[in-house]
Every structure is written in C-alpha cells, then in structure tokens.
C-alpha cells in the first residue's frame, strides 16, 4: 500500500515518467490521497466501467483483471508511476455523478473489508470525483492520466 498517491495529468508517458524522482509537484494538475494501492484502485475502477455493479468484485475477479502499465517501474525506493488505461480515462471523463457514487461505495466496501481500521481517512468519493475531472481534462487535451505513488 502506498503512503502518498498523486493522480495527475501529463502530455505523454515520457513526461509522466520523468516525475518519478520528485513527484508531479505543482507543475501538474493533480489530486492527492494517502494509504491506498493505486494499481488495485485503477484496476477496480476499470472493471467497474466494463462490468458495472454495486457489488464488490471477488479477489479472483479483481486480481485477474487487466492492471495498469508502469511508465516508471518501482526500484528499491518503491516509487512508481502508472498510466491509467485510455478506456478508463474516457469512462471516468463521461461518468455520471450516480456512477461515481456507486463506484466509490463499492471501492470503500472493498477497502474496508481488506484494511479495516487501517483504511485511508481520505474522502474517496471526493478523490474519485477529482480524478474524473482530471480524466475529462485529459480527454479534451489528448493528454494522459497517471498516478505517482510512494
């Protein structure tokens, strides 16, 4: 589980990968959160839009799903940068408020069942809404949506 996660916009994979050492910083439009696993969150969001359901997916279903690709793989320091899949970026950009609320509820249920009291204190609906706003911007500018985590 990552301590700090930043979802951010970048024009391309190379620019996103260059954030690996210092993080995206203020040069990139972003949404931050703490204490989640960004790769499983991204996979869960993608699964939701491909197979909508308020039910939490089984571990087998989630872990068997297509996971995000690294643009900067982790080294000994644990820092990694993922590219969100284009289809997920488009789905988030076009998501209704009701879809985001249902997805957030499902995501919270899964995290609570896995992490219990150690679950993040972040407002996960607000995080998801912020990422959806970034996705809309990525679609309109033909940029990419990424996550940086440590």
């Amino acid at each position: 589980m990552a301590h700090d996660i930043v979802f951010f916009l970048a024009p391309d994979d190379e620019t996103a990968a260059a954030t690996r050492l210092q993080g995206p910083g203020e040069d990139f439009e972003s949404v931050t959160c703490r204490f989640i696993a960004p790769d499983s969150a991204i996979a869960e969001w993608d699964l939701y839009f491909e197979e909508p359901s308020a039910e939490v997916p089984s571990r087998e279903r989630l872990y068997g799903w297509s996971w995000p690709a690294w643009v900067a793989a982790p080294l000994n320091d644990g820092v990694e940068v993922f590219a969100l899949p284009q289809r997920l970026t488009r789905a988030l950009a076009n998501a209704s408020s009701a879809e985001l609320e249902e997805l957030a509820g499902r995501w919270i249920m899964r995290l609570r069942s896995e992490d219990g009291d150690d679950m993040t204190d972040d407002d996960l609906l607000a995080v998801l809404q912020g990422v959806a706003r970034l996705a809309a911007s990525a679609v309109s500018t033909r940029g990419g949506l990424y996550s940086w985590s440590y």
Side-chain angles (χ1 to χ4, degrees):
M1 178 177 311
H3 290 110
D4 295 308
I5 302 91
V6 181
F7 293 97
F8 67 101
L9 296 176
D12 53 51
D13 290 356
E14 185 177 320
T15 304
T19 68
R20 189 197 168 302
L21 293 177
Q22 301 295 322
E26 294 182 14
D27 293 338
F28 298 88
E29 189 176 351
S30 64
V31 172
T32 61
C33 58
R34 296 180 49 81
F35 303 116
I36 65 162
D39 51 355
S40 65
I42 293 165
E44 182 168 357
W45 301 346
D46 190 41
L47 175 59
Y48 172 82
F49 286 109
E50 289 299 305
E51 300 175 5
S53 170
E55 299 299 316
V56 175
S58 69
R59 281 181 177 237
E60 295 79 20
R61 185 73 184 123
L62 179 60
Y63 293 134
W65 194 252
S66 175
W67 285 54
W70 280 305
V71 294
L75 301 174
N76 291 336
D77 59 6
V79 176
E80 58 192 353
V81 182
F82 290 109
L84 275 71
Q86 286 296 316
R87 74 177 182 193
L88 174 58
T89 301
R90 286 188 303 274
L92 285 165
N94 295 316
S96 68
S97 294
E99 287 173 315
L100 293 175
E101 288 174 15
E102 182 174 84
L103 174 54
R106 180 174 110 166
W107 185 29
I108 290 165
M109 282 191 296
R110 183 181 62 80
L111 291 176
R112 193 167 283 134
S113 72
E114 291 179 1
D115 301 338
D117 291 340
D118 291 332
M119 192 176 116
T120 181
D121 290 335
D122 286 322
D123 178 343
L124 296 181
L125 175 57
V127 169
L128 199 51
Q129 290 167 332
V131 173
R133 282 190 295 278
L134 292 177
S137 184
V139 168
S140 71
T141 63
R142 296 196 172 132
L145 184 55
Y146 301 88
S147 77
W148 176 95
S149 59
Y150 170 69

